[in-house]
Structure formats: structure tokens, C-alpha cells
Amino acid sequence: MLIRFGLLFVCALAVISGGILLATRVSVDQAVKRESIDKAMHYAQYMASRVSDLEGLIATANPDEEQIAIIKEIRKLGDVFRFKLFDAEGRLVLISDDDSIRGVNTAASEADPEPLQVAETQQPIIDVFDGSAKPDRPDFYAEAYIALLNAEAQTYGVVEVYVDQTATREYLRDSFKAFGISLAAFCVFLFGAPYAGYQIQRSLTERSRKDAEFLARYDPLTGLINRREFVDQANSLLADGKLSAVCFVDADKFKAINDVHGHAAGDRYLTHIAEIMRNNTRPGDLVSRFGGDEFVIGFKDINLNGVTRRIRAILTKAAEDFHHNDSVILASISVGVAACDDEKSLDALLSHADTALYHAKANGKNTFSIYGDEMGEDLRKRNALEERLRCAISKKEFNIHYQPLVDGRTKEVLGYEALLRLEDDEGADIPPSIFIPIAEELGLITEIGTWVIRTATQDIARTTENHSVAINLSAAQFSDGDLPEIVRDALDQSRLTPQRLELEITESLLLEDDPKVEFQIDAIKEMGVSIAMDDFGTGFSSLSYLWKFGFDRLKIDRSFIAALECDPVRSREIIETILMLGDRLGMRTTAEGIETEDQSDLLSALGCDMLQGYLFGHPANLAENCSLRCGSHEPDGESGSQAS
């Protein structure tokens, strides 16, 4: 009886153990499939976000170098070891193997059944395989077909993702190994299966979450680590004494690139800068994108000379012409460097690097600065000036001084140039060459420029004589596209006739060849307002600008007038050439910086239409200037003034 019971018990145990083993194997396979789908979905979504114009790649079956580089990088993430891309008809267009990315020049003529089914149903297909006998395959792997959908939820392609699941299968099998070897496994199965299933599902969910967090550690545009990941890794290096320097990198003209060439060009430029930084740093260094056009590099175990050598290489490459479609974009970057030394705070290092970056930009951009203690005082002065600008705007504390413009022949006052002035809290003048660039950086120049246009037109309109007014424009005032409306409103409110207003621009505004600028200049000219090119002869002085924009006036830069004293022959030849050019093109001319009677007589004899300088009057308020007449002022050794 006991023997029979024992045999029944053994048989029952064998049946139960066999059932447990079979159920375990089935459960493991199902769990592996579910995780494979999760991984494949994550990587398919990540690839769709990282590979630019993936839909176009699938349509042409011809990836460019940038797309190939990104696909290679993606293939190295996690457990994915191979990709295949199919079009919406299930035809193969691209294969990503271990060592190559191969695009099919012409899409395969026959569709594969699995991708065709996925394309039609948008439901994934997954299967697992034993690859132990294949030299180029893991011991156990999964193949998953995932549909790629556009914004309208339409299928434009299918990605086949090969996922190495060897470790996952072994992990799950080991978890259940003890279940089938004893009667105790039966009890564990009865009482522990729900909990074990929960733990397995929790483990799989946790792994999927970690995969998502892994992808979230990287900037989706450039592939660099993001701010959070940089801070985590940099703090760790800093604690170990291995972080040598932190560098803030900022694009000098990123807003202009976006405004002129579009955001697609801006994105490509950021990717271009990221690649330059990758190529000029070492594997252990941290290269990150903090957001917008801000990048941060953390150099590991390197002296300051090594850091500066790599930064110079990055600056040199970044200053080279960047090509986008048919356009050549002239751009550069600036870099602020903070050496770690004994500093133990990453926040302080980042702040020091940011301060050094400000100095690099203040020193002309396309360069780098290394943080020093003296920069703290400079930063304090900068902050004080920023606060003074904001206060002056809110309290209307700017002033406009007017410098006479006289007839080149009769020396009669014909008008005035409006010059913006600002005093500090102690009443001392702040040079426009200092506060205007800062106002442009802070985005305040449009508001200031609008106030100048409105105030100057109202001041001139109130005079009894029919004088004109010339106003300098900043390139930043053209960025919003509202300048013609601002000018029109100022003329309407002041009742000044358009013919009495002249707006001066510099060649730097025209270098980007922005159609928006050309449109605004044309709109202003159509009102009857004159447009002058200021400081002619000191920049590129391209004749194409004179032909394209049809300026009403050329202003001869004061440097040529001053040079009459030291090199009269050469300077006179240049001045005569400019005057002749203006005459042939039907443009009036103004000479700036006239300080002596000899200069005045020479310019009059050469046929210059209008003269300006301390000989005829210093910048002053309009009431004082209206009483001035030419020839009544002696020069004081200065040569002109800064315009607004």
C-alpha cells in the first residue's frame, strides 16, 4: 500500500514537476516576447526621433552620411544588435549589420510577408530564436517587426529590430529552476506563483523604465548627454578629483541662423557643433547640450594647456563655413573656461565658466576666456549696467542730442543727426559703444530704438524750420519685421513729412542677405523716407549692396577725413572716388568728422552734398542747436560722436 502510494506520489510529483517545468518554459517565452516588444518599441520610437527625415530615407533607400552615423550610434544602445528597414509595402530598403549600414539602391521588388502584415495592421510581430549554432547570432534572440507611423497615424515604414535576449532568458529560467525539482516547488508554485509573477512583471517593467530613462539621458537632437546626466557624472568626477575643467560653449549667431535660414538649418548647425566637440574631446570627457545653443564640456584628467589646445581646435573648426542647402552660413562659437583647481562645487564652476563666456563674447566673440578673479568685478559692472538700462527704459531716462548737418556749399544747417545718450547714476555719460551692444544682447534695443524714432520725429516736427533728422538703426531692429509699421506710426503721430526723415544702416545688417531685411527697407523707402549707408568704406563696401538696395545717401566714414592730416594724397583719392561713385549712382553724400576749415573747404570743393562735425556744432539738445550757424565753432580735437 505504501509502495503504491509512493508510486502514485512519485508519479503525481513527476506530473506536477513536469507541468511546472512546462508552464515555466511557456511563461518564460511569453515574458521574453513581451519584453522584446517593449524594447523594440522603445528603440523604434527612439530611432524615428533621432534619424532626421527617416520617412525620406525609407522612400529613397539611400541614407546620407549623417543618417548612417546616427543609425550606427543607435544600434550600439542596449541589447539591439541589428536593424532592418522596410517601406510601407513590406520591401527591404536598409540593413544595419555589425560593421556596416547598407541601403538598398532600389527597393526590393518582392515584399516580405511579416513587414507587409505589420504595415497593414500596425500590430507588431515578434518571435524568438535559438542562435547558438549561428556564429553571427546571440545564443537566444528575438526578431520584432514594428510599424513606423507619421503624425497622421499612417504607416510609412516598418523596422525589424533584432534584440539579444540571452541574458533575459537565462535570468528568467534560473528564477524558476528550483520549482520543478522537488515537492517544495509545488508549494512554492501554489503560494508563490502570484507573487513571483508580480515580481517578474515588476522586474520587466523596471527594466523597460530604465531603458526609457537611458534614452532620456541623451539629447534627442545631437545625441549628447543632457544637462541632468552631465551634472550627475560631473559631480561624481569632481568628488573623485578627476574633473579638470568645465567649459561653457555658446553659438555666436544662433538666433540669426534660425531667423534667416530657418529652424532646420539651426538644428543642423547644432548637430554640426556637437560633432566638432565629439571629435576634439576624449572618450572620458563629458560633452553635453544644456539646451538651446548652450553646450558644456567637462574635461577629465588633463592640464589647462591641454584644455586650451582642444578648445582652440574646436573654435577653428566651428569658424569654418557651414553649408546648408545652397547657403553658406558664416558662424562661430565662444567658449568660457573654468579650471577646477580646488573648487568643490559644480554650481560654482558652471557660474565661473558662464562668466568667462561673457568675457569671450565681450572680446569680439569667436574666442575663449579663462575665468579669473578679476572677472567677478567685471560681471558686477555688467550687471549694474544691465540694471541701469532697464531702469532707463522704464523711467524714460534716455536723452537725444542733435548734431547739425550743413549744406556742403552754403554751410546752411539742413538738419540734424539724432544721437542717443545715457548717463549713469552719478550723472556721467555712458558711451553708446558700451551700452548699445548690451541692449542688443538683452533684446532691449527694439524698444529703445522705437522710442528714439518717435521722440526724434516729434522733436524735429516742433521746430519752425524745415529741417530733416537722421536716425541710426541697429540691425536688431529688423529682427521682428515690425520696423516699417513703427516708422509709419511715428510719422503719423508727429505729422513729420517722410521726406524729412532719413534712416541710417550699416553694412553688417546686409551681410546675412536676409529677405526680411530687404522687404522692410523697400517698405520704408516706399513711404518716402530716405535710407543712408553709414560708415561707407570701412566694411566690405560691396557694390552689390548699392545696386541692390538703391540707397539715397552714402556717409563717408570719419576715418578718411581724419587721414587727410597724415596722408592727404591717398585720403583725397579715396574720398574723390566715393563722391564720384555716389554721383554716378544718383546718391547724395555726407562727410562725417569735419573739424577744420581746410577739411570743410576741401569737401565742398570736391562736391560733397552735406557736412557734419564739431566744426559746425557739437551734439546738444535741439533748443541749443537750433540757434547754431556754421562757422561759429572751433574744434576741440575730437572727431565725431557715437550714433544710436
Side-chain angles (χ1 to χ4, degrees), residues 36-336:
S36 298
I37 291 178
D38 289 341
K39 284 186 177 180
M41 291 290 289
H42 278 302
Y43 284 101
Q45 292 169 2
Y46 186 60
M47 182 172 66
S49 66
R50 285 282 288 111
V51 178
S52 61
D53 193 18
L54 181 59
E55 187 171 353
L57 186 158
I58 292 174
T60 62
N62 187 20
D64 57 30
E65 292 183 1
E66 179 184 358
Q67 291 170 327
I68 290 175
I70 294 174
I71 290 175
K72 284 183 176 180
E73 179 183 343
I74 293 172
R75 191 185 55 74
K76 297 176 183 178
L77 300 179
D79 299 324
V80 173
F81 63 90
R82 194 185 193 199
F83 283 117
K84 285 186 181 179
L85 288 177
F86 301 83
D87 61 20
E89 282 72 41
R91 294 173 297 188
L92 179 64
V93 297
L94 183 139
I95 298 175
S96 168
D97 288 324
D98 288 340
D99 300 319
S100 66
I101 306 294
R102 304 196 306 276
V104 181
N105 292 331
T106 21
S109 59
E110 295 184 2
D112 287 0
E114 290 88 354
L116 181 59
Q117 178 182 338
V118 171
E120 292 174 349
T121 65
Q122 297 185 356
Q123 296 298 315
I125 294 177
I126 180 71
D127 207 349
V128 293
F129 301 92
D130 184 358
S132 57
K134 300 179 181 180
D136 61 341
R137 292 288 186 270
D139 291 343
F140 188 76
Y141 66 96
E143 294 182 13
Y145 295 83
I146 306 297
L148 299 172
L149 308 180
N150 59 23
E152 289 76 26
Q154 297 175 337
T155 303
Y156 66 83
V158 174
V159 57
E160 182 184 7
V161 183
Y162 290 72
V163 185
D164 184 355
Q165 293 290 57
T166 304
T168 300
R169 184 183 65 168
E170 293 302 319
Y171 166 77
L172 294 175
R173 283 188 173 181
D174 290 342
S175 299
F176 286 100
K177 185 180 293 183
F179 289 1
I181 62 176
S182 66
L183 184 60
F186 177 64
C187 297
V188 172
F189 179 77
L190 286 178
F191 299 102
Y195 178 75
Y198 165 76
Q199 289 294 342
I200 292 172
Q201 187 61 41
R202 181 180 178 183
S203 175
L204 295 175
T205 302
E206 182 68 13
R207 292 190 64 178
S208 296
R209 183 185 66 82
K210 288 182 178 179
D211 285 344
E213 287 183 352
F214 175 78
L215 298 178
R217 292 164 51 197
Y218 292 87
D219 171 53
L221 176 64
T222 63
L224 302 178
I225 59 175
N226 58 23
R227 178 193 292 263
R228 184 179 66 179
E229 183 65 16
F230 176 88
V231 170
D232 289 344
Q233 294 191 34
N235 273 323
S236 178
L237 290 176
L238 193 61
D240 294 339
K242 295 181 179 180
L243 190 64
S244 303
V246 171
C247 305
F248 244 114
V249 181
D250 188 80
D252 292 329
K253 299 179 180 179
F254 184 63
K255 185 177 185 301
I257 293 174
N258 273 336
D259 291 343
V260 176
H261 302 281
H263 289 279
D267 288 348
R268 280 201 59 211
Y269 179 69
L270 293 178
T271 305
H272 170 67
I273 295 301
E275 190 62 26
I276 291 174
M277 292 190 293
R278 279 196 196 95
N279 293 337
N280 290 277
T281 52
R282 301 161 304 164
D285 297 329
L286 307 179
V287 184
S288 70
R289 181 189 177 199
F290 267 34
D293 59 337
E294 290 185 347
F295 299 86
V296 177
I297 303 174
F299 285 101
K300 175 185 175 183
D301 292 333
I302 188 173
N303 59 33
L304 192 56
N305 287 336
V307 171
T308 57
R309 185 168 59 252
R310 292 181 180 277
I311 292 300
R312 285 193 177 97
I314 292 172
L315 286 167
T316 300
K317 294 297 293 183
E320 295 177 357
D321 291 351
F322 173 67
H323 297 267
H324 176 70
N325 295 335
D326 296 329
S327 301
V328 178
I329 300 175
L330 302 177
S332 61
I333 60 173
S334 297
V335 182

Side-chain angles (χ1 to χ4, degrees), residues 404 406 410-413 416 594-597 600 613-618 624-636:
V406 304
T410 66
K411 308 304 187 291
E412 175 188 1
V413 176
Y416 300 92
I594 306 298
E595 296 187 354
T596 67
E597 293 288 354
S600 174
Y614 286 166
L615 179 66
F616 311 109
H618 290 259
E624 295 177 9
N625 257 315
C626 283
S627 64
L628 297 178
R629 287 298 180 265
C630 64
S632 61
H633 294 270
E634 296 296 331
D636 64 358

Side-chain angles (χ1 to χ4, degrees), residues 24-34 128 140 173:
T24 298
R25 184 177 297 275
V26 172
S27 297
V28 168
D29 289 345
Q30 291 299 320
V32 169
K33 286 187 177 182
R34 285 198 301 272
V128 293
F140 188 76
R173 283 188 173 181

